[in-house]
Amino acid sequence: MNRNSRNDENDNDQIVRGFTKITYWEKYGVKRFPYSGRRRYSPCVYQSEDGGIIISNDVFGLTIKQVERTYKECLDRRKAHEQYILNIRYPDKTSTEYMEYLENSRYCQDYLSCTEDDLKERYLYQNLVNTVGTEIDIRKRQQLFIIQDMICNAQAQKTHTHISSGSLAEGLDLPGSDIDIMFVINKVDVIRDLRNMRHPVQCTTLVMETDTDHPGFSRLRLIAIGDGENDILTYEYFESTSKGLCLSVNKFVSKINNMIPQQQISQHGPCLSDKGQNVDIAVCLRSKYLPYNAIPWASRYRQQWPPNSTIDTIKKYGCLLVPIGPRDMSDFNVLWRLSFSVAEKLLVHSFNFTQLLCYCLLKLTLKHIVNTNRHAEGLLCSYFLKTALFWVSEEIDIDTFQLSKLYFCFSLCLDKLKMWVQKCYCPNYFIPEHNMFLGKIGLDNNIILINVLDNIKCDGIDGLIQNICSHNNGMFPLSCLLRTNSNYSSIRLDFLFFKISELCPIDDIFKLLKALMFTETLIKSKYSAFIIDVCKHHHAVISQYAAQLQPKPAITTEMYNIHKHYHRFLQQGIKTDAVSGWLLYASFYYVTGQYNVTLKLTDYVLSKCSSDLVLTYCVNYSEKELKKYRKHVNSTMTLHDKMRIATIRRINYARQSLLIPRELQLEVNKRRMFIPLTVMSHCLRFLCYHHLCDISNRQQALRELCLSVKDKHFVLSNTLSSSLTVLGVCYEIAGDKDTAYQCYDDALQCDAYVCLSAGARKSKLLEM
């Protein structure tokens, strides 16, 4: 190519074979770039005679190097500020877009160099990942609880809102974590100022009055009582004070306790817990406004965290009010604690992976180091540690939270905590004037805690590894660091879903149909295959409930359309697990009088009820259940397929269900009923043979039912009372009144859950 042939300015008007000359930057939209060589002109592009391209003043060889150098510099800058960029691009890290980004990106492959100096930090990181999971695992857990809340609230009554809280809902599935649920009473309007009052008044209205001596608490002064639709708050639950009528904490809690059968719950601070204290339920109120002393939080100076969109969401949501007074004033009855549980969950959801691992490391340090010291045990709680992480995250550059600086970030939180303990002052993240150490850590016990924190800092990363991480004689093999167990991680996620996935059945068919449409929308909008299968499972469960509230079935040709609706919901319902949907089908055929079909279906159900199946909706699972599950599944299977093959669930009859046998209608007259599949299968067989006048097979079915209850085959403590009641009904039908009476009496003695109809049936037998 002749480089000097185009050095004449008249070339601008040159025509080549009828084509006007087009410069490189005109054709491709690229501006002139500086060139330090001997050539005077930028490259130009021409069309050759054969239709090809001729490039004059070619300097591409040099510009490629320039581009490579610029590109590398750009990548280095992007890597240095990666967290800042992600913070802007994905402020909500539970979003579908961020999940898609995680699954498509090269994930944590080069977060540390492979030098010997970094080996301990790599080992600490790997053990944390083995404990809490990868970032994708954590985000799936967060999405799981979000979906659970959305579907629960889509089908729930308007009286309350279901909110998952605690570390599990934040994405950390650590050993010993319980399930925390908040039920927010909806028909109460809590305002910040009288100017916020809505007219006309449609519900009970209270105004928040923050206590100056206790900034983290508020009085709830009555402004107006509602129209009577709300039976939670009436005048009897208020106390007269110098400020006016204020809602009583003790009377509110007593009211809630009276609404729930005492056999099922126990008092646990401001929460109601199940007998095993695996589930904590807090009933609270919501204000759509932040209290006055929390307003400065939204506008105070901070670095890049939290994202502005998260701050705006928190401001829009407001706060919760929990029925518990200050720790140092146990007898003060009209102060309610200001709770920012929803805000804190949103903040944790905006954490990057390093912040999440730092949170996990702080919680493990509390459990395995601080609380193992008998003098320091109980002084700190995980909420204080989370607060320290919030303050540190706000005060430093978000790019500091990189995986290679995990231990450094942990040390910053430890220093913050130590400073608070020295001053005996832990400022609430939203209301710094609220000292959360008040009544718990003071000058009489802070020295003990300071020494423990000093020892943790002095022992360094070696101390953390020794006390928290598993190790092999002090050696950290690279094979251990590089090993990943995606199958184990997937199984952990599955079992978490089994643990929390129960939906409360309701008796409103229109709400159920609305919930079905809502889950169908979710299925279409989600990216993660796991979350999609979660939505599909909930869709199948809701279909089972909807099938029970259709018009009463009958064997007539005119009822064809009704039967068609039944089959549509029942067919969707068989997708929940291995057999529960088929047993509900058997119930349908029993109530329509098709006993032989019912017997065939119960035969199939019992043939599938293998001891290798895992029972869902348990609060605790042993290693034995995990091993059974592993035999049936692998990491390539979807959650939907796993549940169809390897799980079994109890059959849930809604209140006034039309698919429960008429002999058991009393059991669902006032509330829902949970019955083990084996128990219900043998019960249906007994009833079918009874109607077919097959006495021999009826007695055999009764014996098998009795053995199933006695051996507790898929019968848990929370279904034992129902199982005994069903057994008693069958004995009563068979004419054995004494054994039936004993079954009812045993049902009333159960601890976890008591079937209320057992008492009525027992009393009826006494009258005979």
Side-chain angles (χ1 to χ4, degrees):
M1 186 180 294
N2 184 1
R3 297 175 178 172
N4 298 318
S5 61
R6 302 296 178 188
N7 289 343
D8 191 343
E9 292 182 0
N10 294 328
D11 286 346
N12 290 331
D13 300 324
Q14 181 179 355
I15 303 299
V16 179
R17 297 290 181 180
F19 290 93
T20 304
K21 182 185 70 174
I22 303 174
T23 59
Y24 180 80
W25 52 90
E26 288 174 338
K27 184 175 181 65
Y28 296 104
V30 179
K31 296 180 180 180
R32 293 178 182 267
F33 52 87
Y35 174 62
S36 57
R38 290 180 301 172
R39 303 177 186 87
R40 297 171 53 192
Y41 301 101
S42 298
C44 296
V45 179
Y46 300 90
Q47 185 167 348
S48 63
E49 295 182 7
D50 60 358
I53 293 178
I54 298 175
I55 303 175
S56 65
N57 300 319
D58 182 19
V59 290
F60 271 20
L62 182 60
T63 57
I64 288 174
K65 293 180 181 178
Q66 290 176 334
V67 169
E68 288 177 346
R69 184 167 62 248
T70 304
Y71 179 66
K72 185 177 182 302
E73 291 172 354
C74 178
L75 286 182
D76 291 341
R77 287 195 305 272
R78 182 179 179 86
K79 188 173 182 180
H81 300 286
E82 180 181 12
Q83 298 308 320
Y84 173 72
I85 296 170
L86 290 178
N87 207 41
I88 295 175
R89 188 176 179 186
Y90 305 107
D92 178 12
K93 294 182 176 58
T94 63
S95 64
T96 301
E97 292 77 14
Y98 186 68
M99 182 68 75
E100 186 175 358
Y101 161 78
L102 284 181
E103 293 189 351
N104 292 333
S105 64
R106 292 181 68 250
Y107 188 67
C108 299
Q109 295 297 317
D110 55 350
Y111 77 99
L112 279 175
S113 62
C114 292
T115 62
E116 186 177 351
D117 294 337
D118 294 327
L119 197 54
K120 292 179 181 178
E121 291 199 34
R122 288 175 64 86
Y123 184 77
L124 177 64
Y125 162 80
Q126 186 63 47
N127 273 274
L128 287 174
V129 170
N130 289 340
T131 301
V132 77
T134 64
E135 184 174 5
I136 291 179
D137 295 332
I138 295 173
R139 302 304 177 190
K140 285 180 180 178
R141 291 187 208 117
Q142 292 172 342
Q143 283 196 353
L144 173 61
F145 279 91
I146 292 172
I147 292 295
Q148 186 78 8
D149 286 349
M150 292 171 70
I151 295 178
C152 281
N153 292 322
Q155 68 157 11
Q157 302 291 350
K158 293 182 179 180
T159 55
H160 68 273
T161 300
H162 178 285
I163 299 175
S164 300
S165 61
S167 58
L168 269 180
E170 291 168 344
L172 300 187
D173 186 10
L174 297 173
S177 297
D178 55 6
I179 301 172
D180 295 300
I181 301 172
M182 306 187 86
F183 285 111
V184 182
I185 306 296
N186 286 337
K187 292 185 177 181
V188 179
D189 196 9
V190 182
I191 60 177
R192 185 172 59 199
D193 191 282
L194 291 178
R195 289 173 295 182
N196 304 131
M197 191 168 178
R198 292 180 294 181
H199 296 282
V201 176
Q202 296 179 340
C203 60
T204 300
T205 304
L206 310 172
V207 63
M208 286 189 294
E209 294 181 344
T210 306
D211 189 82
T212 53
D213 296 328
H214 299 87
F217 297 83
S218 176
R219 291 179 182 83
L220 297 178
R221 182 164 59 88
L222 179 64
I223 301 299
I225 284 287
D227 56 6
E229 292 182 3
N230 183 3
D231 60 351
I232 297 293
L233 301 183
T234 57
Y235 281 112
E236 60 182 304
Y237 299 110
F238 291 85
E239 288 191 4
S240 180
T241 69
S242 60
K243 304 287 186 179
L245 288 177
C246 294
L247 184 60
S248 167
V249 168
N250 293 339
K251 291 178 180 178
F252 180 85
V253 172
S254 298
K255 172 69 175 179
I256 298 301
N257 285 344
N258 293 335
M259 294 173 63
I260 302 176
Q262 293 301 304
Q263 298 90 345
Q264 301 176 46
I265 56 97
S266 61
Q267 195 73 30
H268 185 206
C271 300
L272 304 174
S273 299
D274 65 332
K275 289 298 183 180
Q277 292 194 349
N278 298 300
V279 181
D280 284 343
I281 299 174
V283 182
C284 54
L285 305 175
R286 176 195 170 192
S287 172
K288 296 180 181 179
Y289 309 92
L290 289 175
Y292 279 117
N293 54 3
I295 292 177
W297 166 83
S299 57
R300 72 182 176 218
Y301 175 78
R302 49 175 55 92
Q303 296 289 337
Q304 296 95 354
W305 186 91
N308 291 332
S309 60
T310 303
I311 295 174
D312 292 339
T313 303
I314 292 171
K315 286 169 58 180
K316 185 177 180 180
Y317 183 83
C319 69
L320 301 176
L321 295 112
V322 181
I324 185 172
R327 186 179 286 110
D328 60 332
M329 296 181 65
S330 57
D331 60 339
F332 210 84
N333 191 32
V334 293
L335 285 183
W336 290 61
R337 188 178 71 194
L338 295 165
S339 170
F340 299 92
S341 295
V342 173
E344 290 157 9
K345 184 167 70 172
L346 291 171
L347 290 172
V348 174
H349 286 181
S350 72
F351 275 172
N352 66 20
F353 190 35
T354 306
Q355 288 170 298
L356 291 169
L357 290 183
C358 191
Y359 184 21
C360 172
L361 187 55
L362 287 166
K363 290 174 74 72
L364 293 175
T365 301
L366 175 65
K367 179 179 180 179
H368 295 291
I369 301 179
V370 177
N371 284 343
T372 56
N373 184 309
R374 63 186 182 91
H375 299 293
E377 184 180 6
L379 293 180
L380 288 179
C381 65
S382 60
Y383 187 71
F384 297 158
L385 305 180
K386 180 166 68 174
T387 301
L389 181 55
F390 283 160
W391 280 106
V392 170
S393 298
E394 181 176 284
E395 293 166 357
I396 67 175
D397 195 294
I398 190 63
D399 286 318
T400 305
F401 281 96
Q402 298 180 17
L403 291 173
S404 58
K405 299 178 181 178
L406 174 61
Y407 180 73
F408 173 71
C409 296
F410 168 80
S411 299
L412 292 177
C413 296
L414 214 59
D415 292 339
K416 176 74 71 176
L417 200 60
K418 180 184 173 183
M419 180 187 70
W420 290 346
V421 173
Q422 288 173 335
K423 296 180 179 180
C424 300
Y425 194 100
C426 175
N428 181 274
Y429 179 63
F430 295 93
I431 306 175
E433 299 82 14
H434 176 208
N435 178 14
M436 297 190 298
F437 281 171
L438 200 62
K440 192 164 189 178
I441 297 176
L443 295 175
D444 57 333
N445 58 10
N446 69 330
I447 300 300
I448 299 169
L449 202 49
I450 290 172
N451 291 334
V452 173
L453 296 175
D454 278 337
N455 290 336
I456 296 173
K457 193 71 182 291
C458 291
D459 291 342
I461 194 169
D462 290 323
L464 288 179
I465 290 174
Q466 182 179 358
N467 288 283
I468 295 176
C469 305
S470 59
H471 56 86
N472 182 19
N473 297 324
M475 301 300 291
F476 314 114
L478 190 61
S479 60
C480 177
L481 299 178
L482 299 179
R483 178 177 54 87
T484 59
N485 194 340
S486 59
N487 190 38
Y488 175 72
S489 176
S490 173
I491 288 174
R492 279 185 60 187
L493 191 60
D494 293 348
F495 272 84
L496 176 62
F497 175 61
F498 301 160
K499 186 177 179 179
I500 70 163
S501 60
E502 182 178 353
L503 295 176
C504 180
I506 60 174
D507 54 0
D508 188 333
I509 184 62
F510 297 106
K511 284 189 174 295
L512 289 172
L513 294 177
K514 180 181 177 182
L516 284 174
M517 290 188 290
F518 180 70
T519 53
E520 289 167 3
T521 303
L522 288 176
I523 291 170
K524 296 175 182 177
S525 64
K526 295 302 174 182
Y527 176 80
S528 167
F530 173 80
I531 297 299
I532 291 173
D533 281 350
V534 165
C535 296
K536 288 180 178 178
H537 175 81
H538 284 314
H539 187 274
V541 171
I542 297 171
S543 297
Q544 288 189 358
Y545 297 145
Q548 300 179 50
L549 300 178
Q550 297 298 303
K552 188 174 181 178
I555 312 178
T556 60
T557 55
E558 303 86 45
M559 301 300 290
Y560 171 78
N561 289 331
I562 294 179
H563 279 249
K564 187 176 180 181
H565 283 296
Y566 268 98
H567 289 300
R568 178 166 66 91
F569 290 118
L570 289 170
Q571 285 173 0
Q572 292 170 351
I574 64 176
K575 301 174 184 178
T576 57
D577 62 300
V579 288
S580 71
W582 291 111
L583 186 57
L584 200 62
Y585 243 128
S587 289
F588 167 78
Y589 283 114
Y590 174 79
V591 299
T592 56
Q594 301 178 69
Y595 304 125
N596 288 322
V597 179
T598 304
L599 288 171
K600 291 179 180 179
L601 284 173
T602 52
D603 269 338
Y604 172 77
V605 169
L606 290 171
S607 70
K608 298 287 287 185
C609 288
S610 165
S611 58
D612 286 340
L613 294 178
V614 173
L615 188 61
T616 58
Y617 303 162
C618 295
V619 292
N620 284 312
Y621 287 99
S622 65
E623 188 65 29
K624 182 180 179 181
E625 272 84 24
L626 267 69
K627 289 180 179 178
K628 289 194 300 184
Y629 190 69
R630 285 177 180 173
K631 290 180 182 178
H632 293 88
V633 305
N634 58 68
S635 58
T636 62
M637 297 171 61
T638 65
L639 175 67
H640 176 74
D641 292 336
K642 293 176 187 176
M643 296 193 73
R644 293 286 300 275
I645 293 173
T647 69
I648 186 173
R649 66 190 291 267
R650 62 196 182 188
I651 187 166
N652 299 345
Y653 286 107
R655 187 172 71 90
Q656 298 181 346
S657 168
L658 294 177
L659 293 189
I660 198 168
R662 59 183 176 275
E663 292 84 356
L664 299 176
Q665 281 292 332
L666 181 62
E667 277 61 43
V668 296
N669 187 36
K670 293 184 178 180
R671 64 177 182 178
R672 58 181 173 165
M673 187 184 194
F674 301 137
I675 309 176
L677 286 171
T678 50
V679 172
M680 195 61 203
S681 296
H682 290 303
C683 174
L684 285 173
R685 294 180 67 77
F686 169 86
L687 295 173
C688 286
Y689 287 126
H690 175 72
H691 288 289
L692 293 171
C693 300
D694 189 340
I695 305 302
S696 175
N697 280 325
R698 187 188 74 173
Q699 289 303 111
Q700 179 63 27
L702 184 58
R703 284 192 294 268
E704 291 173 350
L705 172 59
C706 183
L707 285 174
S708 182
V709 176
K710 181 180 178 181
D711 296 340
K712 296 184 178 179
H713 189 208
F714 292 116
V715 179
L716 300 179
S717 58
N718 59 356
T719 56
L720 180 58
S721 182
S722 298
S723 301
L724 288 167
T725 303
V726 170
L727 179 60
V729 171
C730 292
Y731 271 118
E732 190 175 348
I733 292 171
D736 190 346
K737 302 290 194 289
D738 293 337
T739 306
Y741 180 90
Q742 187 61 49
C743 288
Y744 299 145
D745 188 61
D746 292 342
L748 294 171
Q749 306 305 317
C750 294
D751 293 329
Y753 174 90
V754 173
C755 183
L756 297 181
S757 62
R761 291 186 179 276
K762 179 182 174 182
S763 300
K764 188 176 179 180
L765 281 179
L766 288 174
E767 295 172 359
M768 292 181 178

